[in-house]
Amino acid sequence: MKTLKSFCLLLAMFVVPIVRAGAPPETINLHQRDGNIITAAFTEFNRIEFSGDNLQFVGRNEPVRVKLGTIRKITFGEPHEAFGVPVSFAATGNGTGTLTAFVLETNQALLSGGEVEAGNTVVFRAEPAQGSKIRGWYINEVYKETAATEQRVVLDKELHAEGLYVEVEFVKETGIESGERNLLNVYVQGREIHIESTCELKRAELLDMGGRLLRTQNSAQGAHQMLLHAGNVASGVYILKVCSIEGEETRKVIIR
C-alpha cells in the first residue's frame, strides 16, 4: 500500500504542474520492461484508477490496463522513437557449458532471439562445465580471446539494423593448463590463413557456417606453424578447425 501511494503521488507531481501550465501533454507513455511502449491519449480517458497491482486509464473507450510491475518508466507527450535491438546468443567450440543473459537495468532474464530497447545494457554470463574452459567471445563476429565469464554490451542505435549476436567459445581442458599451456594464434592475410601453435599441428580445415568442408591442409611432421590457402572461396565468415596432438580447436575467421 505504501508503494502504491508513493506511485500515485509521483504521478500527480508530474501531471498536475503540466496541466496547470496551460499546455497539457497529448499522451502518457508507459515504457514496459520488455521494451514495449503503451501510449494513452489524454483525450481518450478522464481518470486513472489503481486496482490491486494494476494501473488503468478509464474514459470513453475500453480501459487501458497495465500491471505496475511491468512498467520501467513513464513519459509524457509524444513518445520518443524507441529502437528495439534483436539479441541472439549461443555457445560454440568443442567444450560444453551454459550461457545466459539478462538486461542490467531491469534484471530481466533474456532469451536468445528476444528484442531489447536501445539504451539498455545486456549482460552475458558463461559457466563452463567440468572439463571445459572459456577460450574467448565473439561479439558480432569480432573475436576476443579471454577467459572472462562475463561480457556487457550497451545497445545503441547502430545495433538497431544489424542486431547483436554473441557467442562464447567453450573448449576442452587439455590437462596442460599448469605449466606448458597450449596457445593457438590464427590470423588472415589476403587469402592465406596463418596458424601458429605451441604444440605440434596435424591438420587444418576450413568449413562454411553450415559445417560443409571447403578446404583441408595437412601440416609437416613436427610443425608448429602452417598455412591454409582459402583459394577462391567467397568473402565472408568461416569456421577454422585446427587439429593438433592435443585435440581439436575451432575459430571463426573472416575472408575478405
Side-chain angles (χ1 to χ4, degrees):
M1 182 61 71
K2 183 177 180 181
T3 302
L4 185 58
K5 289 181 178 179
S6 299
F7 184 85
C8 296
L9 179 60
L10 180 63
L11 192 62
M13 290 172 62
F14 276 97
V15 175
V16 173
I18 294 176
V19 174
R20 286 179 178 174
E26 296 181 359
T27 62
I28 181 170
N29 313 299
L30 306 180
H31 300 253
Q32 295 187 292
R33 296 185 185 277
D34 60 4
N36 292 325
I37 301 177
I38 297 177
T39 299
F42 280 104
T43 56
E44 297 175 355
F45 69 93
N46 51 38
R47 67 183 187 277
I48 301 174
E49 295 181 354
F50 296 90
S51 176
D53 61 349
N54 288 319
L55 168 70
Q56 64 181 19
F57 301 96
V58 182
R60 294 175 297 180
N61 301 320
E62 186 73 19
V64 177
R65 185 179 294 106
V66 186
K67 285 189 175 296
L68 288 174
T70 66
I71 301 174
R72 181 165 60 91
K73 65 180 179 180
I74 298 175
T75 59
F76 300 93
E78 288 298 322
H80 68 81
E81 188 175 4
F83 292 88
V85 179
V87 179
S88 300
F89 51 95
T92 188
N94 59 11
T96 57
T98 59
L99 177 60
T100 58
F102 67 93
V103 181
L104 179 64
E105 288 76 6
T106 63
N107 202 34
Q108 178 188 6
L110 182 63
L111 296 177
S112 180
E115 193 167 282
V116 181
E117 185 179 345
N120 288 308
T121 301
V122 179
V123 181
F124 299 90
R125 286 181 178 167
E127 183 177 347
Q130 186 174 5
S132 296
K133 63 179 181 178
I134 298 172
R135 168 70 74 189
W137 295 76
Y138 292 96
I139 300 178
N140 276 12
E141 300 179 356
V142 177
Y143 184 72
K144 296 171 59 178
E145 186 168 355
T146 173
T149 59
E150 180 178 297
Q151 295 290 322
R152 299 189 177 196
V153 181
V154 178
L155 305 180
D156 54 29
K157 293 181 179 180
E158 293 181 0
L159 289 172
H160 171 60
E162 62 178 328
L164 173 64
Y165 185 67
V166 173
E167 284 187 355
V168 60
E169 183 184 15
F170 292 116
V171 294
K172 294 178 180 178
E173 296 277 7
T174 63
I176 57 173
E177 305 312 318
S178 57
E180 194 178 335
R181 178 173 178 264
N182 176 32
L183 295 177
L184 178 66
N185 183 37
V186 175
Y187 61 95
V188 181
Q189 284 186 334
R191 291 276 159 173
E192 293 184 339
I193 303 172
H194 295 250
I195 305 167
E196 301 173 350
S197 176
T198 56
C199 65
E200 183 180 338
L201 295 168
K202 296 171 60 179
R203 184 178 67 259
E205 298 175 350
L206 185 66
L207 303 92
D208 62 20
M209 296 304 291
R212 185 167 59 95
L213 179 63
L214 303 177
R215 295 284 187 278
T216 184
Q217 177 71 43
N218 295 322
S219 69
Q221 185 174 2
H224 291 254
Q225 299 179 347
M226 63 180 299
L227 288 177
L228 176 64
H229 299 275
N232 59 351
V233 300
S235 299
V237 182
Y238 296 89
I239 299 172
L240 176 70
K241 181 186 293 185
V242 180
C243 304
S244 70
I245 60 173
E246 295 294 342
E248 295 182 355
E249 295 189 39
T250 58
R251 297 288 177 85
K252 278 188 177 179
V253 294
I254 301 176
I255 305 297
R256 303 185 185 280

